[in-house]
């Protein structure tokens, strides 16, 4: 019987999903449906999964597992989203609710750690790295000896809330000067507009770096904050590589070149880790969710316990 995984990637405002049969996306490149979460994030998740189950059945396949990447504070082992401010979830037993509803084994994990699974699959030789998705916010997935590190409460890797600027800008978390308040796509755009610039996205700001004084200033602050965070991670973890993903990860050399230079200048006492762009790109979350679903299925058929 083929393995038929319904994989979903929950974002701040959208839910994306795809069907994977024996590891292959069918139909290829079917990232839709994407729902606005206005009707409630959980309803959007159910709607996307129902649509995916319908797609699978239309192709003659019965779903065998579900994999979910979600933002927030996530306890993977309990299948529980402890807190997700953007989604309005507190102590939501998401894994169990979906298992009951769809009748197949389900695994959920933090979105950054889920996406890091796709990076691991793309480069199995890479055992120690930090994956940093930069989008609306900034988080990190820490991978040590080939395993993602969740921490005691599932809250490891909250890189966005490392203070990088003393008495700096207020952050949504209640602190001041957080990395996220300078280096997230949201912060870059907000700071550019507040300074009198005209842009619709952080990518627009990235596009005028080198030609526009305000963009240069906002961008330099973002790079400096990120470099401070990466320097801290490097001193703590000694990763082989730092992988930048998320929407801003696609900015390419306009971000990576000054970032490498700044990290190197901060780490005087050692060689800096390589800094690269995500191999899996914007689809890392979905690909990782498919891998999570595969793990859910093999766990239920062999041991009933998740081992990694
Ligand atoms: Zn913060």
């Amino acid at each position: 019987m083929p393995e038929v995984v319904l994989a979903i990637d929950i974002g701040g405002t959208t839910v994306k999903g795809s069907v994977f049969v024996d590891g292959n996306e069918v139909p290829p490149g079917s990232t839709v449906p994407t729902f606005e979460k206005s009707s409630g994030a959980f309803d959007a998740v159910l709607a996307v999964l129902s649509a995916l189950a319908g797609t699978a059945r239309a192709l003659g396949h019965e779903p065998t597992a579900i994999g979910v990447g979600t933002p927030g504070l996530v306890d993977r082992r309990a299948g529980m989203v402890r807190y997700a401010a953007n989604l309005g979830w507190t102590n939501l037993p998401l894994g169990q609710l979906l298992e009951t509803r769809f009748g197949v084994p389900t695994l959920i994990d933090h979105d950054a750690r889920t996406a890091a699974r796709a990076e691991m699959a793309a480069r199995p030789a890479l055992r120690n790295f930090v994956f940093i998705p930069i989008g609306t916010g900034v988080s990190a997935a820490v991978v040590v000896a080939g395993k993602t590190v969740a921490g005691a409460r599932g809250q490891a890797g909250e890189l966005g809330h490392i203070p990088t600027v003393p008495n700096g800008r207020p952050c949504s978390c209640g602190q001041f000067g957080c990395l996220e308040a300078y280096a997230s796509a949201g912060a870059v755009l907000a700071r550019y507009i507040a300074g009198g610039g005209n842009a619709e996205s952080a990518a627009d700001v990235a596009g005028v770096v080198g030609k526009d004084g305000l963009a240069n200033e906002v961008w330099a602050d973002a790079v400096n904050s990120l470099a401070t965070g990466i320097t801290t991670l490097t001193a703590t973890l000694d990763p082989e590589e730092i992988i930048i993903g998320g929407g801003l990860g696609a900015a390419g050399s306009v971000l990576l070149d000054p970032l490498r230079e700044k990290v190197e200048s901060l780490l005087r006492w050692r060689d800096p880790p390589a800094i690269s762009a995500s191999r899996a790109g914007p689809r890392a979350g979905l690909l990782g969710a498919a891998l999570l679903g595969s793990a859910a299925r093999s766990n239920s058929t062999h041991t009933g316990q998740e081992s990694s």
Side-chain angles (χ1 to χ4, degrees), residues 160-162 171-176 178-181:
H161 303 294
I162 289 183
C171 179
S172 59
C173 74
Q175 298 178 159
F176 292 86
C178 287
L179 186 154
E180 187 168 295

Side-chain angles (χ1 to χ4, degrees), residues 140-279:
V142 175
V143 177
V144 174
K147 292 193 184 294
T148 55
V149 175
R153 296 179 177 81
Q155 299 177 15
E158 289 297 336
L159 177 70
H161 303 294
I162 289 183
T164 55
V165 178
N167 304 312
R169 300 184 76 223
C171 179
S172 59
C173 74
Q175 298 178 159
F176 292 86
C178 287
L179 186 154
E180 187 168 295
Y182 294 88
S184 65
V188 165
L189 179 62
R191 296 189 73 214
Y192 186 70
I193 290 172
N198 186 9
E200 294 198 347
S201 70
D204 292 349
V205 181
V208 294
V209 169
K211 303 167 212 152
D212 173 320
L214 176 62
N216 293 349
E217 210 174 292
V218 167
W219 199 253
D221 285 349
V223 166
N224 288 343
S225 257
L226 263 179
T228 301
I230 289 171
T231 301
T232 305
L233 286 173
T234 302
T236 313
L237 298 166
D238 185 24
E240 292 165 66
E241 193 156 327
I242 303 288
I243 301 175
I244 309 288
L248 223 54
S253 60
V254 69
L255 176 65
L256 297 183
D257 288 351
L259 188 58
R260 289 183 184 119
E261 202 174 302
K262 185 69 188 176
V263 169
E264 190 167 0
S265 76
L266 291 173
L267 282 170
R268 289 162 183 256
W269 53 278
R270 57 157 290 163
D271 288 335
I275 300 177
S276 65
S278 162
R279 302 295 197 279

Side-chain angles (χ1 to χ4, degrees), residues 61-133:
H61 299 301
E62 197 55 33
T64 56
I66 294 173
V68 180
T70 174
L73 303 177
V74 182
D75 183 338
R76 182 189 56 176
R77 287 175 190 283
M80 184 81 88
V81 180
R82 298 288 175 203
Y83 180 66
N86 287 338
L87 306 176
W89 292 349
T90 303
N91 289 326
L92 181 75
L94 183 62
Q96 201 182 355
L97 288 171
L98 297 181
E99 268 192 23
T100 304
R101 178 73 169 240
F102 293 93
V104 293
T106 300
L107 271 185
I108 72 165
D109 203 353
H110 181 264
D111 50 2
R113 292 194 285 274
T114 300
R117 286 173 182 257
E119 300 295 334
M120 280 192 269
R123 296 167 70 197
L126 193 60
R127 305 284 291 165
N128 296 279
F129 67 93
V130 181
F131 174 68
I132 305 177

Side-chain angles (χ1 to χ4, degrees), residues 7-11 14-18 30-35 48 52 67 69 282-283 286 289:
I8 62 167
D9 179 20
I10 306 174
T14 59
V15 180
K16 294 176 186 171
S18 220
S30 61
T31 311
V32 280
T34 298
F35 281 69
V48 172
L52 292 176
R283 300 182 54 73
L286 259 191

